[in-house]
Amino acid sequence: MNPRVRIVKNEVLSDNWYVLKKITFQYQKSDGTWETQAREAYDRGNGATILLYNRAKQTVVLTRQFRMPTYINGNGTGMLIEACAGLLDKDGPEESILRETEEETGYRVKNVHKIGEAYMSPGSVTEILHFYMAEYTANMLTGEGGGLEEEQEHIEVLEMSLEQALQMVKSGEIKDAKTIMLLQYAQINGLLEPTSKPQHILIAGPYRSGTDDDPRLIEANISFMNEIALQVYEAGHLPVLGEWYALPLIETAGSRGIGDDIFNRMFHPSSVRLLDHCDAVLRVGGPSQGADEMVRVAKEKGKFIYMHLHEVPLIK
């Protein structure tokens, strides 16, 4: 303990929600003399906070809820955008933040990385906050989140790009200190920067759509997607068309024509299976329910989505 501090009196002023104490103490100044001081300290226990981020989508998950202290100090709606957080209670920091993450956001993350600790309001609150980061993907979503009803939590889950979140800090839409610290940590350390390694990219475009099954028009669609695939390849990546896999398999399985039972059983499902082994989907060409479905499935699987050819050089 600090030899320059002597606790004289410790009074509990309130023990309603958490514990508010008035502490009278003597403090030895640099000239050796002692002076008596009194301070109030609010003890609500320690807590943990986490920023969920998705490198492929360049997004983060935040929350929005009503905060009374901000409402009585200038926040007109009382609503505050912030990173998921909660008190430790009787658990350790990592166990607590895993629990809070699922309760508030609906994501059951697996690997969390601690980046530090901080006193958030050392002039009046005793709390130490433990800071974490964790990557999330769509398949980690186990529920809607929103907090616990018995704790009177009404939490809205927000997913947005890191760029948008940082802009909201700049504009003042995000004013929560822990959230600003986590977002800036992600920015400074490049946690959401796209990986520079070559990507395996599924080209999704119209195959039969708009052709009335005219072989010449179908061939033109395939030729168009092959040209796109070549550009993706020359950009340093590995392109693939679902048709490259599906059509030979369908023929070998005995299909007699487009749209028969064998074709319908294998064509789209083979592309969905292929998607599991791809890093991203590039959506090209005109209307196509099948291609749009691939984009939807890719989003569910947490894959990166490119919607136009001109975006391909961005991943070089």
Side-chain angles (χ1 to χ4, degrees), residues 101-131:
T101 300
E102 188 166 5
E103 289 176 358
E104 291 194 6
T105 71
Y107 286 96
R108 183 179 296 166
V109 294
K110 298 177 181 178
N111 299 313
V112 297
H113 171 61
K114 187 173 183 179
I115 62 172
E117 304 173 4
Y119 290 101
M120 296 306 294
S121 186
S124 58
V125 182
T126 62
E127 180 185 25
I128 292 176
L129 199 60
H130 301 261
F131 287 76

Side-chain angles (χ1 to χ4, degrees), residues 185-206:
Y185 180 93
Q187 180 186 35
I188 292 170
N189 290 274
L191 294 187
L192 275 79
E193 291 179 0
T195 55
S196 59
K197 69 179 181 64
Q199 294 187 13
H200 194 196
I201 301 176
L202 178 64
I203 312 298

Side-chain angles (χ1 to χ4, degrees), residues 3 11 16 31 39 50 54 72 92 100 107-109 128 169 192-193 195 206 229 254-255 272 294 308:
E11 304 171 77
N16 182 23
D31 63 3
R39 296 290 186 272
I50 190 169
N54 185 302
I72 61 176
E100 290 290 340
Y107 286 96
R108 183 179 296 166
V109 294
I128 292 176
V169 172
L192 275 79
E193 291 179 0
T195 55
S255 173
V272 174
M294 292 306 300
H308 301 287

Side-chain angles (χ1 to χ4, degrees), residues 292-308:
D292 290 340
E293 175 68 7
M294 292 306 300
V295 171
R296 185 191 67 78
V297 174
K299 288 180 179 179
E300 291 180 353
K301 293 178 178 290
K303 306 291 184 177
F304 202 93
I305 310 297
Y306 299 101
M307 295 303 294
H308 301 287

